[in-house]
Amino acid sequence: MRTWLLRPWLVVAAVVLVLAVVLGVGWFVASNTIHGHVKGGVADIIAENNRLIAAQASADLGPLPSGFSKDHKDWKRVQSVIEDIEFGAGGFACIIGPDGKMICHPEIENPMVRDADLSSSRVVALDGSSPEKQLTDFFAAGFDEGIADFGVEGRHLLNTKAVSDDGVRLLVHQPITGLTAATAGLTAGMIARLVSVGLAVMLVSGLSVGWVVHFAAKLMRDWNAELSEQVDRQTTSIRRSREALATITEYRDNETGQHVERISACSVVLGDALRDRFSFIDDAWLERLRLASMLHDIGKVAVPDAVLLKPGRLTDSEYEQIKRHPSVGADTLLAICHDVESDPLLAMAVEVCLYHHERWDGGGYPVGLAGDDIPLSARITSVVDVFDALLSPRVYKPAMELERVVEIIREGAGTQFDPDVVEVFESQLDKLLAIRASLDGDALTADAAA
């Protein structure tokens, strides 16, 4: 008796039908999964970009006087800073008053922009921790990141910082429409490729299951080879960029080369000792810290030799030039960020450059952050930088005795330094001294301890 199993066209039809169902379900699941993951990733990148731009812009602006307005003598400088900030598609920064009215904007000459009042704009917290509020109420509640509805301009990812005592604020925002377009652009090619390959597999499988297996295996080998090649290229590119960045620190001060090597190695020792207190610390984080800490003082390339290498006491004006180096270093690295793909190393290097002179009690510079608001990478580098600098002779000072250096750092716990970092510093002191000895610092350490 003949059965449907003996009819080839029925077998082909059955295989094609099964594959069509599998392809349809797979396309639906893959499309939604890929779209969701990419959208979340792009949103995180835009939010982080907003944070970096807001931090740098607020540092460039400095504190504004109470009552700052379009009539203030410093308005042109502030407007120039706002106009110079570069964004991706549709983003911009602006300055608004405590009443929500526009003070500075890249298109301030446009009457619609000049007379804009954002006070009634609706905002929700970025992390979902707050219901929708009016913009001014959102600020009053202490939030600084959110998703804002600007009416005809649509919804924006928003980051804000107060730049005066009476509530004048810097707003940095990029539109959700750009996020949607970026997500669609990133996922369209992947999904189209999945569908086209699935159709090819379905048709070929219906004619010959064996041939499909051979074809799929070859296709997978090609994809794996292509993916491996792309990963190798990307890994090589990242490694070269990191090595190139690390060599930037070889400049001017004869002691700097040894100094940055010791800072790098000692920072990793303290970071490793803090693993049990911070869940995000892993080998990759420590490797980023190793390289990022070497870049902490690259902003000093902008300080004149007459100031940087001055053997005597600095004047107030010269000290102000020295205090600019964190912002200059961060600017340098942010410029690199615009030219390369997103790299966690660059993000950490910006943190270290900008914040390694901040104090735990908020009395540092250039931003005045305090406590846990200062990134951990910068808090670690701050302790190690002071430790190495005090133990090392400079043109303007002799090396300090080890006991006095340890005493100064211990006394700074809770004021200048993070108490947790000081605690592990004391527990790891022998390792830090061994590093100094191994990196041509043995003579310095011996002199300091004598």
Side-chain angles (χ1 to χ4, degrees), residues 143-181:
F143 293 99
D144 58 11
E145 284 190 306
I147 300 176
D149 188 349
F150 290 136
V152 295
E153 295 185 357
R155 301 170 69 234
H156 286 228
L157 287 171
L158 170 74
N159 189 286
T160 176
K161 288 185 179 295
V163 291
S164 78
D165 292 337
D166 63 344
V168 175
R169 303 190 75 89
L170 164 71
L171 268 65
V172 173
H173 40 93
Q174 301 191 55
I176 297 291
T177 53
L179 168 61
T180 303

Side-chain angles (χ1 to χ4, degrees), residues 66-85:
S66 298
F68 180 76
S69 69
K70 299 172 186 175
D71 298 324
H72 193 273
K73 65 181 181 179
D74 203 27
W75 181 86
K76 288 186 178 180
R77 180 189 69 83
V78 175
Q79 174 67 16
S80 177
V81 171
I82 293 300
E83 291 176 353
D84 288 343
I85 299 174

